[in-house]
Amino acid sequence: MRLIIQYAALALLLIGFPVGSYLWMKSGFNEQVEHLKNLEPKGKVPAFSFLTTTGDSLLPETVQGSPHAVHFFSDDKLTLELLHQISLQFKDKDVHVISYLPEANYDYASVLKKYNIEVDRKKSNWHFVAIPEGMTEAQLHDMYQLPPNDKDKLLIVGKDLNVRGYYDTNKDEFENVVIHHMALMLPRDKKKEIGFERIKEK
């Protein structure tokens, strides 16, 4: 009996652990491949020149070099809190968040205040842009290859200004998937230890 136990332990050591490690690594590799497949380019964003609500110019050069999130502003607490978290977590990694407002005089500041979201309008990497005069919302959607029915989705645009992903903010996995996809597209030295960090309640 003792000999059987010894042989079983040896088999586990020589076969079980290596096979288990291989399957675990293969699972992680396959998951990474799937993420990269989801990030394949879906269309190039054309050149643009917009003004933010602070009067700053928002050009391709402003957001080129790292991925950025694009959002069509809506009074949705969960989405706004997530965007705020993204802007704070990635601030030092040249990642930007762009929120397009439905109209020029839209009082987005009151909406943010309602949810206790504070944005430094001069220093933040979260840019608020009214739809430019002479441009329709449909044209702006076309610019980002976004069907009108999906205007509530969050977009990620890569450093090459290609649309890389569309995300439903109502899905449970939204937070981690977006953060993981952004991290995958960051330059190598900016990828270290990136995960979704929730803001601690005061």
Side-chain angles (χ1 to χ4, degrees), residues 3-20:
L3 191 60
I4 293 175
I5 294 175
Q6 289 177 339
Y7 279 129
L10 185 61
L12 180 64
L13 181 64
L14 297 178
I15 300 174
F17 287 159
V19 170

Side-chain angles (χ1 to χ4, degrees), residues 12-176:
L12 180 64
L13 181 64
L14 297 178
I15 300 174
F17 287 159
V19 170
S21 297
Y22 168 77
L23 292 176
W24 179 78
M25 292 177 65
K26 183 173 174 52
S27 174
F29 175 77
N30 290 339
E31 183 180 354
Q32 196 81 328
V33 169
E34 188 63 28
H35 279 301
L36 291 172
K37 184 178 179 180
N38 290 335
L39 289 172
E40 291 178 354
K42 296 167 179 62
K44 186 88 170 181
V45 178
F48 60 88
S49 178
F50 300 146
L51 284 178
T52 69
T53 53
T54 58
D56 298 319
S57 294
L58 185 64
L59 303 167
E61 291 79 5
T62 309
V63 294
Q64 198 168 21
S66 286
H68 59 279
V70 175
H71 157 251
F72 291 86
F73 197 94
S74 61
D75 187 349
D76 181 81
K77 182 176 185 289
L78 177 61
T79 301
L80 294 174
E81 286 179 342
L82 292 175
L83 288 169
H84 185 219
Q85 182 61 52
I86 289 170
S87 73
L88 292 176
Q89 185 171 340
F90 286 94
K91 184 175 181 179
D92 297 329
K93 299 177 175 64
D94 299 322
V95 171
H96 297 263
V97 176
I98 302 173
S99 284
Y100 287 103
L101 307 177
E103 56 188 20
N105 297 318
Y106 186 83
D107 190 7
Y108 71 93
S110 293
V111 178
L112 297 179
K113 185 176 180 180
K114 179 169 64 174
Y115 301 126
N116 296 315
I117 296 174
E118 297 182 9
V119 177
D120 187 331
R121 296 182 64 192
K122 290 295 183 182
K123 298 180 181 179
S124 178
N125 57 339
W126 190 353
H127 313 284
F128 298 89
V129 181
I131 295 178
E133 186 176 351
M135 191 176 196
T136 66
E137 190 174 49
Q139 289 174 319
L140 197 56
H141 291 160
D142 289 342
M143 172 176 159
Y144 286 102
Q145 333 291 323
L146 182 67
N149 293 336
D150 291 333
K151 67 178 183 179
D152 293 332
K153 287 188 176 180
L154 181 72
L155 289 75
I156 284 184
V157 180
K159 61 183 180 180
D160 57 358
L161 297 180
N162 266 298
V163 177
R164 297 298 182 126
Y166 303 93
Y167 305 87
D168 186 344
T169 58
N170 294 314
K171 289 190 175 180
D172 293 338
E173 68 273 18
F174 164 74
E175 301 173 358
N176 290 325

